[in-house]
């Protein structure tokens, strides 16, 4: 898998990751009622819409965030499931119902405090719990976003991996089975990159609403960047294929040249051997034709003995000529020595 494919998977996953923070108008009736009436005693006026929105914003950002409106409101309801709207200064001691005097707190802790004023240690504990809930909630949203990011990353990598490995098969560099294995590996890697990107993006955006807004704003630009990157990767794959094919045929040409050179060298070697043989044959021929010819049977036998010696020096045996059997040659040579 190339760096271009990694980058495209990450960009496309980020572009398709959308984090929505629930607003007051998005909440179901039961949750909205708690924003308006939470902590208020019967007969007292409910909060204004602005104050109700402030009550909603006292929930950690990730506790009211999701990958869509449904999951965002579901997270709000889940966060409030065990919470009370606790007064910092008790209602019995003149504490108001204004959001500035209200904190979302575990119901058991609120009931245990009774009508006591919230201590600074308790407020620090609630602040720490708020940040912890924001972090864990953000991770939860990131996990929700990861599968979609993984799917986008895998689908981004799959066609380009198919094209790349398919061309490798065409060029004879790998087998079809190896191409299938490589494509599967690239697709899984693309999914991992996309999933990791979506998780990180969603986690940060859920914990920080301004980042979620910025992500929504730049999403169209990211989509354009992702599409442009995919087009570039497509033409880059084709160009790499073109260069590989060119190099392949150049290597074939070089191999042919080397093969022809080897043939030529062999022919030259054989020609030199033939020239040497012809030169030796000419010398032997001169030796044979210029021998003195003695008269009589003794002279003929002497010439025959010399011819046998010449034949033997040339490596000739009875297998080469029926006219020169070994026994005959040996008998002549023996008689000649006598």
């Amino acid at each position: 898998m190339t760096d271009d494919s990694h980058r495209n998977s990450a960009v496309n996953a980020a572009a398709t990751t959308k984090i929505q923070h629930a607003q007051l108008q998005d909440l179901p009736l039961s949750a909205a009622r708690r924003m308006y009436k939470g902590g208020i005693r019967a007969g007292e006026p409910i909060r204004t819409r602005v104050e109700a929105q402030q009550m909603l914003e006292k929930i950690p950002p990730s506790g009211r965030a999701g990958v869509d409106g449904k999951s965002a409101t579901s997270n709000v309801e889940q966060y409030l499931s065990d919470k009370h709207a606790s007064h910092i200064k008790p209602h019995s001691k003149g504490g108001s119902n204004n959001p500035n005097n209200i904190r979302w707190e575990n119901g058991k802790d609120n009931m245990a405090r009774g009508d006591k004023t919230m201590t600074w240690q308790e407020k620090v504990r609630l602040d720490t719990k708020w940040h912890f809930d924001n972090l864990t909630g953000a991770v939860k949203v990131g996990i929700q976003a990861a599968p979609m990011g993984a799917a986008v990353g895998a689908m981004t990598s799959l066609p380009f991996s198919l094209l790349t490995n398919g061309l490798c098969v065409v060029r004879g560099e790998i087998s079809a089975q190896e191409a299938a294995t490589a494509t599967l590996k690239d697709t899984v890697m693309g999914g991992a990159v996309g999933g990791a990107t979506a998780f990180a993006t969603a986690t940060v955006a859920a914990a920080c609403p301004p980042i979620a807004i910025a992500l929504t704003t730049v999403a169209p630009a990211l989509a354009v960047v992702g599409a442009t990157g995919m087009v570039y990767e497509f033409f880059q794959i084709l160009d790499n294929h073109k260069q590989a094919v060119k190099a392949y045929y150049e290597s074939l040409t070089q191999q042919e040249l080397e093969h022809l050179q080897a043939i030529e060298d062999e022919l030259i070697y054989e020609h030199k051997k033939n020239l040497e043989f012809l030169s030796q044959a000419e010398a032997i021929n001169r030796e044979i034709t210029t021998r003195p010819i003695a008269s009589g049977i003794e002279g003929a036998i002497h010439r025959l003995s010399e011819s046998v010696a010449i034949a033997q020096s040339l490596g000739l045996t009875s297998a080469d000529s029926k006219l020169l059997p070994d026994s005959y040659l040996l008998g002549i040579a023996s008689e000649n020595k006598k």
Side-chain angles (χ1 to χ4, degrees), residues 26 72 79 114 141 144 153 188 192 211 232 242 248 269 302 315 327:
D26 301 325
Y79 180 81
V141 174
Q144 291 175 340
V188 171
I211 292 181
Y232 172 81
K242 179 181 177 181
Y248 172 72
Y269 173 75
H302 180 72
S327 61

Side-chain angles (χ1 to χ4, degrees), residues 4-296:
D4 289 336
S5 188
H6 285 145
R7 182 174 57 252
N8 291 335
S9 294
V11 170
N12 287 337
T16 54
T17 299
K18 301 184 185 303
I19 299 302
Q20 181 174 336
H21 286 82
Q23 300 300 314
L24 189 62
Q25 64 271 17
D26 301 325
L27 300 180
L29 183 60
S30 58
R33 185 181 293 113
R34 296 192 65 181
M35 302 301 113
Y36 282 99
K37 296 183 176 182
I40 296 178
R41 295 183 177 182
E44 295 181 344
I46 64 174
R47 298 184 181 91
T48 65
R49 181 179 179 82
V50 173
E51 291 175 333
Q53 180 65 36
Q54 291 174 347
M55 288 293 294
L56 176 61
E57 291 173 358
K58 285 185 172 293
I59 297 174
S62 65
R64 47 191 166 87
V67 294
D68 52 33
K70 183 178 180 180
S71 62
T73 56
S74 176
N75 288 339
V76 169
E77 291 180 301
Q78 184 176 354
Y79 180 81
L80 294 175
S81 61
D82 63 346
K83 300 293 191 298
H84 283 183
S86 298
H87 290 75
I88 297 175
K89 183 178 181 180
H91 192 276
S92 60
K93 296 181 179 180
S96 72
N97 293 321
N98 188 280
N100 293 332
N101 191 47
I102 301 293
R103 303 288 293 273
W104 292 110
E105 184 182 22
N106 183 279
K108 293 181 180 180
D109 294 335
N110 181 45
M111 296 294 291
R113 184 181 307 106
D115 63 350
K116 297 178 182 178
T117 301
M118 192 179 295
T119 66
W120 70 270
Q121 292 94 336
E122 290 174 324
K123 287 190 284 186
V124 169
R125 178 180 57 80
L126 281 177
D127 286 339
T128 302
K129 184 67 166 56
W130 186 93
H131 288 292
F132 178 77
D133 289 343
N134 192 36
L135 177 60
T136 55
V139 171
K140 177 182 175 182
V141 174
I143 293 174
Q144 291 175 340
M148 178 59 71
V152 171
M155 294 304 297
T156 299
S157 299
L158 177 59
F160 296 103
S161 182
L162 280 173
L163 178 61
T164 300
N165 293 306
L167 291 176
C168 288
V169 172
V170 171
R171 295 195 299 267
E173 297 175 359
I174 59 176
S175 66
Q177 183 176 0
E178 290 172 328
T181 301
T183 299
L184 177 61
K185 180 180 178 181
D186 291 343
T187 303
V188 171
M189 182 61 70
V193 171
T197 300
F199 172 81
T201 302
T203 298
V204 174
C208 185
I211 292 181
I213 296 173
L215 179 63
T216 302
T217 302
V218 302
L222 287 176
V224 172
V225 172
T228 302
M230 293 173 70
V231 172
Y232 172 81
E233 184 178 1
F234 173 76
F235 285 105
Q236 187 65 38
I237 290 172
L238 294 183
D239 185 63
N240 291 340
H241 173 66
K242 179 181 177 181
Q243 296 300 325
V245 170
K246 181 180 178 182
Y248 172 72
Y249 281 108
E250 286 178 351
S251 68
L252 286 182
T253 302
Q254 184 62 33
Q255 291 175 9
E256 288 294 331
L257 288 175
E258 292 175 355
H259 180 64
L260 291 175
Q261 184 63 49
I263 293 175
E264 183 178 358
D265 292 342
E266 181 67 21
L267 290 174
I268 292 174
Y269 173 75
E270 292 294 334
H271 180 63
K272 289 181 177 180
K273 285 178 60 177
N274 290 334
L275 289 178
E276 292 176 358
F277 176 79
L278 291 174
S279 178
Q280 292 176 1
E282 183 179 356
I284 293 172
N285 183 60
R286 285 198 302 268
E287 182 180 349
I288 292 173
T289 56
T290 58
R291 287 181 299 171
I293 301 176
S295 60

